[in-house]
Amino acid sequence: MHYIERDIEALVAETASEYPAILVTGPRQVGKTTMLEHLIAQQERPFEKVSLDDLSLRSLAVNDPAMFFQMHKPPVFIDEVQYAPGLFVEMKKMIDSGAKPGSFWLTGSQQFRLMELSGESLAGRIAILPLSSLSQHELHGKGTGTPLSLHLESLQERANLFAPADVGAMFARMRKGAMPAVNAGARSNLAVFYGSYVQTYIERDVRRLLGNVDVLAFSTFMTSVAARCSQMLNVQSIADDVGERPEKVKAWLGVLEKSGVIFYLHPYSNNQLKRTVKAPKLYFHDCGLVAHLTKWTSAETMEAGAMAGAFMENYVVSEIRKGYANAGLEAPLYYYRDRDAREIDLVLESDGKLHPIEIKKTASPNMSMTRNFKALDKATVPQGAGAVVCMSENLGALNAETFIVPVWML
C-alpha cells in the first residue's frame, strides 16, 4: 500500500506551527490518521500516538483526563478524540498554561459534534480542518491543487495539471470511489470493502449517535437516500420509501450529515429573487458508496443507467467542494431553482460575482444548456463567467462568457 499525498498537508503543517491544537475531522476511513502519521514523521520532535479505539486508554481519558495527559504528555497525537470529550477541557488548561504550537494533533469522525465540543473549550486555540475522501487532483493530477476558478488563465493552468480522461474512465472513477484504502491498493474487492464500511459505520458511528438502531433498517434507509443523490431533499418521500416517520428520517439524515457521509447544497437567493425554492439538494461525499448502496456493479452499467446524470452531478459537486476544503476555505456553492422550474446546477459565488455552472454528461455542449443562466440577471450580485462542466475532451468556450470545462480537470 503506497501513501497518496494530500492537498491539505501544507495547510495542516502551517496551522500546527501557529495553533496549540489542530483537529482533523472527516468520515471513517478517509485517511485522517494516515496523513497525520505521515506529517508527524517529518517533525523534529518525537510524538506519542494514542488511539482511543483502545478501550483501556479510552477509559482513562474519559474518567481522568488530567491523569491521561500526565501519562501522555504533549506533543501528542490523539486518534478518535470524540470518544473522550473531557480531554478538551484539560487541553484548554494546558494551553492557557503555555502549551506550545503543535502540542495536540487530534482526529475525529463526528465533525459537527467535535466542532461544538472544541469550540466550547478551545475557541481561538484550535484549528479545525475537514478531510474528505481523496480528490481527483490527489489521485490523477500533478502540481498544487487549487479551488476551481472560472478565469481563463486559471482554467488553462488547471488543465495542465491533468491528463484527459474519456467517459468510460470518468465513470470508472465514480464507481471505484475515492477511499484511500481502495485507491492505494490495500483493498481490491469493492463489494466487500463498501459492505464492511457500511456495517462498521452503522455499528460504531450511528449507534453511538442514535443508540441501538436496527442495522438492516438503517442500511435500507441509506440505500433510499443514495437513490436520491443530486436531488432536492424530500423527507416525506424517503419516509414513505422506508416505512418510517418523517421525524425519524430527519434525525437519521442528521446523523449522515454529522458523520460526513452526505452534505447539502442550499438554494441561492436574495431579496431580488423571491420565487426561489427553499429545499436543499442532497449529495454524498463519495460516489463509490452511492454506487454500492444503489447496487451498480460496473462503470459500464452506471454510464448507461438511469442514475448516470445524478452520479456525474454528485461527482462534480463533491470534487469542487473538496478543492475548497483542501485550501481551508468554505465552498461558496449553491444551486438555483425557482417556482417556474428554471434550474442552474451550481452557482459559485466568488470575488463579488455569481458564476453559473451547468453539469451535463454530453461531450458536445451547446448554448441551449445555458438558457437558465439569465435567471440570475435580477440578483443584486453581478454575474460573472459561467461554465458547462461536461465530458468534453478539451477546455473550450461557447462564447466569451461561458467556458466548456471537462470533468477530468476538476
Side-chain angles (χ1 to χ4, degrees):
M1 178 174 174
H2 68 284
Y3 179 75
I4 300 172
E5 291 190 6
R6 308 305 299 264
D7 285 341
I8 202 172
E9 286 179 20
L11 181 61
V12 173
E14 177 188 331
T15 53
S17 70
E18 298 175 351
Y19 289 81
I22 58 169
L23 169 61
V24 176
T25 66
R28 183 172 294 280
Q29 293 196 28
V30 295
K32 303 182 296 294
T33 303
T34 302
M35 180 186 70
L36 289 191
E37 287 178 335
H38 175 75
L39 292 175
I40 284 171
Q42 302 171 28
Q43 299 291 307
E44 294 181 357
R45 52 181 176 166
F47 269 72
E48 182 176 4
K49 179 191 172 184
V50 181
S51 175
L52 297 189
D53 277 332
D54 184 313
L55 294 180
S56 62
L57 291 172
R58 185 190 306 180
S59 177
L60 179 62
V62 169
N63 296 313
D64 197 341
M67 178 58 72
F68 175 87
F69 280 118
Q70 286 184 38
M71 297 186 66
H72 308 287
K73 297 182 184 298
V76 60
F77 169 26
I78 305 174
D79 203 16
E80 302 295 354
V81 71
Q82 74 271 7
Y83 291 127
L87 292 179
F88 288 107
V89 176
E90 199 63 31
M91 278 186 274
K92 179 181 184 298
K93 296 177 185 176
M94 299 173 73
I95 291 169
D96 290 346
S97 296
K100 297 178 180 179
S103 292
F104 305 98
W105 294 43
L106 316 169
T107 73
S109 54
Q110 293 175 11
Q111 179 178 344
F112 292 104
R113 177 59 177 153
L114 282 168
M115 290 174 68
E116 178 185 344
L117 288 168
S118 59
E120 290 171 355
S121 303
L122 298 177
R125 303 168 179 87
I126 188 168
I128 304 173
L129 302 171
L131 184 69
S132 190
S133 54
L134 292 159
S135 71
Q136 182 170 244
H137 176 262
E138 289 166 336
L139 285 169
H140 304 287
K142 60 184 179 181
T144 302
T146 58
L148 178 68
S149 173
L150 292 184
H151 295 91
L152 178 58
E153 296 80 6
S154 176
L155 289 171
Q156 289 172 329
E157 290 175 4
R158 191 180 195 90
N160 291 328
L161 300 180
F162 298 88
D166 61 18
V167 178
M170 291 310 307
F171 273 90
R173 293 177 188 179
M174 297 176 209
R175 173 67 189 91
K176 188 176 186 179
M179 290 298 191
V182 171
N183 286 277
R187 302 288 184 270
S188 59
N189 189 308
L190 294 178
V192 171
F193 172 80
Y194 280 109
S196 299
Y197 181 91
V198 170
Q199 184 172 351
T200 303
Y201 166 67
I202 296 173
E203 291 178 346
R204 297 185 65 178
D205 295 345
V206 174
R207 282 184 168 171
R208 181 170 177 80
L209 292 168
L210 288 176
N212 194 27
V213 67
D214 181 84
V215 174
L216 182 59
F218 200 88
S219 179
T220 301
F221 158 74
M222 289 182 68
T223 297
S224 179
V225 175
R228 292 165 172 80
C229 75
S230 306
Q231 296 180 21
M232 284 196 298
L233 176 64
N234 187 328
V235 173
Q236 186 62 58
S237 175
I238 299 171
D240 292 343
D241 197 17
V242 299
E244 300 285 357
R245 293 176 292 105
E247 293 75 15
K248 178 177 278 191
V249 167
K250 286 181 182 178
W252 286 6
L253 285 166
V255 168
L256 291 183
E257 184 183 18
K258 287 175 184 175
S259 51
V261 173
I262 65 170
F263 65 93
Y264 296 110
L265 204 62
H266 293 277
Y268 182 82
S269 64
N270 61 33
N271 292 335
Q272 301 302 314
L273 300 171
K274 300 183 187 227
R275 293 177 53 79
T276 54
V277 299
K278 305 299 182 186
K281 290 179 77 172
L282 183 152
Y283 299 90
F284 276 65
H285 284 279
D286 188 73
C287 279
L289 179 57
V290 179
H292 170 78
L293 289 169
T294 52
K295 299 175 176 58
W296 294 96
T297 58
S298 71
E300 292 76 19
T301 55
M302 274 178 58
E303 181 190 341
M307 285 188 67
F311 272 110
M312 181 167 171
E313 181 175 334
N314 196 116
Y315 186 80
V316 169
V317 174
S318 64
E319 286 301 320
I320 295 175
R321 196 172 186 273
K322 288 176 189 177
Y324 277 90
N326 288 337
L329 301 171
E330 189 74 26
L333 299 176
Y334 308 88
Y335 82 99
Y336 177 89
R337 184 180 174 89
D338 59 29
R339 295 172 193 171
D340 299 320
R342 293 185 299 178
E343 184 167 351
I344 301 170
D345 292 330
L346 267 179
V347 177
L348 170 63
E349 186 171 9
S350 176
D351 297 324
K353 291 186 177 181
L354 299 179
H355 301 275
I357 300 173
E358 198 65 20
I359 302 167
K360 297 294 183 185
K361 186 187 167 189
T362 181
S364 303
N366 56 64
M367 284 302 298
S368 69
M369 296 173 183
T370 69
R371 62 183 178 275
N372 290 333
F373 287 3
K374 64 181 181 292
L376 296 178
D377 288 346
K378 292 183 179 180
T380 54
V381 180
Q383 190 173 151
V388 178
V389 176
C390 61
M391 292 293 182
S392 173
E393 183 178 350
N394 299 304
L395 173 67
L398 290 172
N399 59 26
E401 291 297 321
T402 311
F403 295 106
I404 299 171
V405 178
V407 68
W408 52 259
M409 58 173 278
L410 292 180

